[in-house]
Amino acid sequence: MRRGDVPWGRGGGPRTEPPPADDAPAWIGGALPDTWFHGPAEVTIDRDEILIVGRLSPPASAEDASEADRAAAEQGRIAGFRETTRDQRIGIAQQLERRYRRKVSWGVRVGDTRELFTTHSAPVMTRLRQSERQVLDTLVDSGVARSRSEALAWCVALVGQHADTWLRELREAMQSVDELRKRGPAV
């Protein structure tokens, strides 16, 4: 077998992909208590992580409440939810991690506030040429980032903000290719 035939992981051996998670949003919808979120949770999945973000009902505020008071009320709602659901969220996450072999992260939305409780940071190794490393070093030297790693994450986030439409179309095209591949002959 040639090195280009399979994806390679750390240590030079073949990388094992986690199982498909096509049914994970449905499984999560069935596992989450109906009282937790206002509507279905937003579920985002990649090969390393399952992120579950639910919308909480907004806290009651006086009509003349300031923006600072509304923000404080939203933070209070988030803190209360986080504390009271911790044990159940851990239990659901453990089941998901066993089933789909991915880390599980949680977050909520209240009004305009979105807060992630936990996130998984996956190490990514890349080879960069000198001109590309100089971009990262400039970001570090200017104080935009504390390290090359943080500078690279900053660059990826910046590209993601400006390429949402293109990336969405690319993901849709990849799903179409996967569907065609599934209908093809098994080799």
Side-chain angles (χ1 to χ4, degrees):
M1 178 180 295
R2 293 182 325 220
R3 198 160 173 82
D5 291 343
V6 295
W8 290 86
R10 297 175 71 182
R15 181 180 70 215
T16 58
E17 292 294 323
D22 299 338
D23 64 342
W27 192 96
I28 292 165
L32 294 177
D34 293 335
T35 57
W36 277 12
F37 300 131
H38 220 64
E42 171 190 323
V43 179
T44 308
I45 302 169
D46 67 14
R47 71 175 52 125
D48 300 307
E49 177 182 24
I50 298 173
L51 174 62
I52 304 165
V53 179
R55 182 169 290 284
L56 301 178
S57 58
S61 298
E63 285 186 35
D64 61 344
S66 69
E67 284 300 313
D69 287 342
R70 289 181 203 277
E74 289 175 358
Q75 288 300 315
R77 175 64 48 96
I78 291 168
F81 175 83
R82 186 175 186 181
E83 285 302 314
T84 59
T85 62
R86 177 174 277 122
D87 291 339
Q88 279 185 284
R89 286 186 294 109
I90 289 170
I92 292 169
Q94 288 172 338
Q95 292 176 56
L96 281 166
E97 288 174 3
R98 277 192 300 276
R99 182 178 175 108
Y100 298 107
R101 292 191 353 238
R102 293 166 170 85
K103 291 294 182 186
V104 175
S105 301
W106 295 89
V108 293
R109 284 185 190 277
V110 179
D112 293 331
T113 303
R114 181 177 192 253
E115 184 172 322
L116 301 181
F117 303 154
T118 54
T119 57
H120 174 68
S121 295
V124 178
M125 185 183 293
T126 186
R127 296 181 186 278
L128 300 175
R129 290 184 166 71
Q130 186 180 40
S131 62
E132 296 159 337
R133 293 189 310 269
Q134 287 173 339
V135 170
L136 299 181
D137 291 341
T138 300
L139 292 171
V140 171
D141 293 343
S142 67
V144 170
R146 291 176 292 193
S147 65
R148 282 182 170 177
S149 175
E150 189 175 285
L152 185 56
W154 185 87
C155 291
V156 169
L158 183 65
V159 168
Q161 287 175 356
H162 297 288
D164 281 344
T165 304
W166 183 82
L167 289 172
R168 184 177 60 251
E169 290 174 4
L170 180 61
R171 287 184 189 108
E172 290 169 0
M174 289 169 31
Q175 286 176 339
S176 296
V177 169
D178 286 343
E179 290 171 16
L180 286 172
R181 190 177 294 133
K182 287 176 186 175
R183 290 188 287 185
V187 184

